[in-house]
Amino acid sequence: MKLATIQNQTRDGQLVVVNRALTHAIAVPHIAPTMQAAIDNWATTAGLLAAVYQDLNKGALADAFDFTTAAVMAPIPRAYHWADGSAYVTHVELVRKARNAELPESFWTDPLMYMGASDAFIGAHDDIQIADEAWGIDFESEVAVITDDVPAGVTAEEALSHIKLITIINDVSLRNLIPNELSKQFGFYQSKPWTSFAPVVVTPDELDGLWLAGKLHLPLHSTLNDQLIGSPNAGVDMTFNFGQLIAHAAKTRSLMAGTVIGSGTVANQGSVDGSSCLAEVRCLEIIKDGKPSTPFMSFGDKIEIEMKDPSGVSIFGKISQVVTKYER
Amino acid sequence: MKLATIQNQTRDGQLVVVNRALTHAIAVPHIAPTMQAAIDNWATTAGLLAAVYQDLNKGALADAFDFTTAAVMAPIPRAYHWADGSAYVTHVELVRKARNAELPESFWTDPLMYMGASDAFIGAHDDIQIADEAWGIDFESEVAVITDDVPAGVTAEEALSHIKLITIINDVSLRNLIPNELSKQFGFYQSKPWTSFAPVVVTPDELDGLWLAGKLHLPLHSTLNDQLIGSPNAGVDMTFNFGQLIAHAAKTRSLMAGTVIGSGTVANQGSVDGSSCLAEVRCLEIIKDGKPSTPFMSFGDKIEIEMKDPSGVSIFGKISQVVTKYER
């Protein structure tokens, strides 16, 4: 099934069930008013929501409304836990190569993961508000999953069963703030201001034959100002699957329902199908030409991120955002 | 006023108003069912809660119950944002000195801050469940504040007005997992499993003459197995006040209501009144003797953290926790 959250003048928005074609939706306050409420009680709510989804796909629900013009929020507008991996190690290797740094051998076996700000996820069509272009504005196209309650010490194999919802995200990064933060060793903070979500999240069964062993085997398309930047396949060169990322996150503590785990920038070896962020494009230019020629994003730039099924139909809806100057 | 959250079989617990003496409490579902609901609407709820607090202190409320035996949760059992500073730079300097590393000059002007896991804060009397003693279990006694909505780009001075609640916490750390995580530069993750909170949070007016310019001027007592480890004054040697920490956190994005900001381990120059974590005790031993002699915590160890007003009365109630072995 497919779920979304739409604006209703509250911080958490209104949970809605969306049909497979992403054309119609229906509110389900009798099942769960919000996405967090749904995932808090997933054992109960999942079946009830799935029944609504079936009826909605049949066109059998009189209260359904047009989803194409709905004011979507992030599917989970504020979450309690957001951990972003860097599972495509080939991307990390490339970034290191561009600055003549060795990739530690352990990076192939021990996932990189940082804790991100989950209190204000932004919607698929929200502006990316940044105060200063000089901070080096970049997008990062990723796959993300939402879990139910995960016990500490879960194995990677067990963790797969805790993945309840899947979507794509844009992990906005401020590249020129990263070197200072990395040097302080306390992780990203100011350099990771916003994370945007596709309009809908879907259950794994919706991705039959495409969601395999904790990886989503489809190209992820990133388009900047109507120019394709890349379509790497998210199922290829993902060194750590989502089960491994969750097990890493849950090594010393449990994860509460509604935890969001990200894949990191999707990338394929050799970047044969392009990139999922400008930083990677610039690294390729540095390796080839000695210096980067592609600038980071400017105010007014439009970034679109989408994933389509093999028949060309959008699965999660499109992330389509414009970078604007933040003014207090 | 003083507020707490008690167990009621829900994830977020029941918000209660607690009297100044910490002996009685009363539920306030007509004002706000949970701490998050209260802080979400603080402009409305603060005055209503304060009126209840006044009546409660007068002993005028028939529905009040005994707070001394109440099953407290963390005041905000799950929060959307938890950022921990390292504001006592003298502590960082000492830790560096113990490993013969220079303290970068910038550390005195640019706060260290990491994003922590906020989805499962634990209560003042909850066990600290850890799977393996070899991870190097330590406490860190800190001051923490809870904000309302903070706009991006807030100044340090403006930020002070966004501090609505104050308390003390135990930022549990797994010291032997830290070196690997620091070397990966993505920040703490597995090495910071749990954060425990004192039973109550208080509004700044409750700390008249003690809460000055974003610092709390009182000793913070840490006692391990009934032996005092330290009582450094939280108002002394705090290089960055809470206004500066919040401004740092809000440089590139807004912070949503209910954001928790921590001070980092409270420490005074020269550790004259002892320490707020075992790591600092061990660093002092290394500097003096060439090697540490104090071990990290073991299963069964009891850690107590408390702050008292000048007349000796506990302000936030006592954190009193036992380390236990986590078994799935």
Side-chain angles (χ1 to χ4, degrees):
Chain A
M1 70 181 144
K2 301 191 176 191
L3 302 172
T5 296
I6 62 171
Q7 292 176 22
N8 69 345
Q9 310 304 317
T10 69
R11 292 173 183 267
D12 297 303
Q14 166 76 61
L15 175 67
V16 297
V17 178
V18 184
N19 69 344
R20 184 167 292 121
L22 306 179
T23 58
H24 290 81
I26 188 164
V28 282
H30 56 294
I31 301 174
T34 66
M35 186 71 75
Q36 184 67 49
I39 196 80
D40 276 350
N41 302 290
W42 195 246
T44 304
T45 58
L48 300 172
L49 294 168
V52 172
Y53 181 64
Q54 283 198 344
D55 289 342
L56 187 63
N57 279 326
K58 288 178 197 154
L61 296 175
D63 292 338
F65 58 86
D66 181 4
F67 184 66
T68 62
T69 57
V72 294
M73 302 174 76
I76 190 162
R78 49 179 183 174
Y80 296 106
H81 195 148
W82 156 225
D84 199 9
S86 194
Y88 300 85
V89 179
T90 185
H91 167 76
V92 182
E93 190 176 37
L94 182 72
V95 171
R96 295 247 169 178
K97 187 176 174 190
R99 54 178 163 103
N100 288 312
E102 285 287 311
L103 185 81
E105 196 58 35
S106 65
F107 279 27
W108 294 102
T109 51
D110 179 27
L112 287 174
M113 184 167 274
Y114 81 92
M115 189 89 68
S118 57
D119 58 333
F121 288 146
I122 62 178
H125 309 138
D126 291 344
D127 287 348
I128 299 169
Q129 296 189 49
I130 304 290
D132 193 344
E133 279 182 345
W135 289 341
I137 307 162
D138 200 359
F139 62 92
E140 281 194 4
S141 309
E142 309 190 4
V143 177
V145 303
I146 301 177
T147 74
D148 63 356
D149 291 297
V150 179
V154 73
T155 67
E157 182 62 29
E158 289 169 331
L160 293 175
S161 69
H162 292 285
I163 297 170
K164 301 306 178 188
L165 296 163
I166 301 166
T167 192
I168 57 173
I169 63 170
N170 176 13
D171 179 40
V172 177
S173 299
L174 301 174
R175 298 294 179 190
N176 296 338
L177 301 186
I178 287 180
N180 180 50
E181 294 205 316
L182 284 186
S183 75
K184 289 158 72 179
Q185 298 186 310
F186 270 42
F188 306 110
Y189 198 103
Q190 297 174 336
S191 54
K192 296 282 188 178
W194 304 110
T195 305
S196 337
F197 280 63
V200 309
V201 291
V202 312
T203 44
D205 63 298
E206 200 65 37
L207 300 161
D208 190 37
L210 304 167
W211 174 254
L212 298 169
K215 301 182 185 182
L216 183 48
H217 291 264
L218 282 172
L220 181 59
H221 308 281
S222 301
T223 307
L224 179 63
N225 298 328
D226 303 318
Q227 183 189 335
L228 184 70
I229 301 296
S231 300
N233 191 309
V236 177
D237 296 322
M238 190 184 190
T239 307
F240 307 104
N241 68 32
F242 276 105
Q244 291 169 292
L245 294 178
I246 293 168
H248 180 87
K251 179 179 172 180
T252 62
R253 66 190 295 280
S254 48
L255 313 177
M256 298 297 116
T259 291
V260 182
I261 303 283
S263 68
T265 310
V266 174
N268 292 163
Q269 182 97 37
S271 307
V272 284
D273 293 314
S275 301
S276 300
C277 66
L278 295 177
E280 182 170 306
V281 172
R282 288 163 58 92
C283 285
L284 290 165
E285 292 166 348
I286 289 169
I287 292 166
K288 182 165 168 284
D289 307 324
K291 60 181 175 53
S293 47
T294 298
F296 288 122
M297 294 167 86
S298 303
F299 299 139
D301 280 356
K302 181 180 67 173
I303 175 67
E304 296 174 294
I305 303 169
E306 194 171 23
M307 191 173 257
K308 295 175 178 177
D309 72 17
S311 64
V313 176
S314 186
I315 298 174
F316 308 104
K318 189 191 281 188
I319 295 176
S320 179
Q321 303 184 279
V322 175
V323 179
T324 61
K325 181 166 170 58
Y326 168 76
E327 309 273 9
R328 269 191 74 181
Chain B
M1 70 179 146
K2 302 192 177 191
L3 302 172
T5 295
I6 61 171
Q7 291 175 22
N8 69 344
Q9 310 306 316
T10 69
R11 292 172 183 268
D12 296 303
Q14 165 76 59
L15 175 68
V16 298
V17 178
V18 184
N19 69 344
R20 183 166 293 121
L22 306 179
T23 58
H24 289 81
I26 188 164
V28 282
H30 55 294
I31 300 174
T34 66
M35 185 71 76
Q36 185 66 49
I39 196 79
D40 276 350
N41 303 289
W42 194 248
T44 304
T45 57
L48 300 172
L49 294 168
V52 172
Y53 181 64
Q54 283 199 344
D55 290 342
L56 186 64
N57 280 324
K58 287 178 198 155
L61 297 174
D63 292 338
F65 59 86
D66 181 3
F67 185 67
T68 61
T69 56
V72 294
M73 302 174 76
I76 189 163
R78 49 180 184 173
Y80 296 106
H81 195 147
W82 155 227
D84 199 10
S86 194
Y88 299 85
V89 179
T90 187
H91 167 76
V92 182
E93 191 176 36
L94 182 72
V95 171
R96 294 247 170 177
K97 189 176 173 188
R99 55 178 163 104
N100 288 312
E102 284 288 310
L103 185 81
E105 196 57 38
S106 66
F107 279 27
W108 294 101
T109 53
D110 179 26
L112 288 175
M113 183 167 275
Y114 81 91
M115 189 89 67
S118 57
D119 58 333
F121 289 147
I122 62 177
H125 310 139
D126 290 344
D127 286 348
I128 300 169
Q129 295 188 50
I130 304 290
D132 192 344
E133 279 182 345
W135 290 342
I137 306 162
D138 200 0
F139 61 92
E140 281 195 4
S141 309
E142 309 191 4
V143 177
V145 303
I146 301 177
T147 74
D148 64 357
D149 290 297
V150 179
V154 73
T155 67
E157 182 62 30
E158 290 168 331
L160 294 175
S161 69
H162 291 286
I163 296 170
K164 301 306 177 190
L165 297 163
I166 301 165
T167 193
I168 56 173
I169 63 170
N170 176 13
D171 179 40
V172 177
S173 299
L174 301 174
R175 299 294 179 191
N176 296 338
L177 300 186
I178 287 181
N180 180 49
E181 294 204 317
L182 284 186
S183 75
K184 288 158 72 179
Q185 299 186 311
F186 270 42
F188 305 110
Y189 199 103
Q190 296 174 336
S191 54
K192 297 282 188 179
W194 305 110
T195 305
S196 338
F197 280 63
V200 309
V201 291
V202 313
T203 45
D205 63 296
E206 200 66 36
L207 301 161
D208 190 37
L210 304 168
W211 174 253
L212 298 168
K215 300 181 186 182
L216 183 48
H217 291 264
L218 283 172
L220 181 58
H221 307 281
S222 300
T223 306
L224 178 63
N225 297 330
D226 302 318
Q227 181 188 339
L228 184 70
I229 302 296
S231 300
N233 191 308
V236 176
D237 296 320
M238 190 185 189
T239 307
F240 307 104
N241 69 32
F242 275 106
Q244 291 169 293
L245 294 178
I246 293 168
H248 180 86
K251 179 180 173 181
T252 62
R253 66 189 298 279
S254 48
L255 312 177
M256 298 297 114
T259 291
V260 182
I261 303 283
S263 68
T265 310
V266 174
N268 292 165
Q269 182 95 38
S271 307
V272 284
D273 292 313
S275 301
S276 300
C277 65
L278 296 177
E280 183 170 305
V281 172
R282 289 163 57 92
C283 284
L284 290 164
E285 292 166 348
I286 290 169
I287 292 166
K288 181 166 169 284
D289 307 324
K291 60 182 174 57
S293 47
T294 300
F296 288 121
M297 295 168 84
S298 303
F299 298 140
D301 280 355
K302 181 180 66 172
I303 174 67
E304 297 175 294
I305 303 170
E306 194 171 25
M307 190 174 257
K308 296 175 177 177
D309 73 16
S311 65
V313 175
S314 186
I315 299 174
F316 307 104
K318 190 191 283 189
I319 294 175
S320 180
Q321 302 184 279
V322 174
V323 179
T324 61
K325 181 164 172 56
Y326 168 75
E327 309 272 9
R328 270 191 76 182

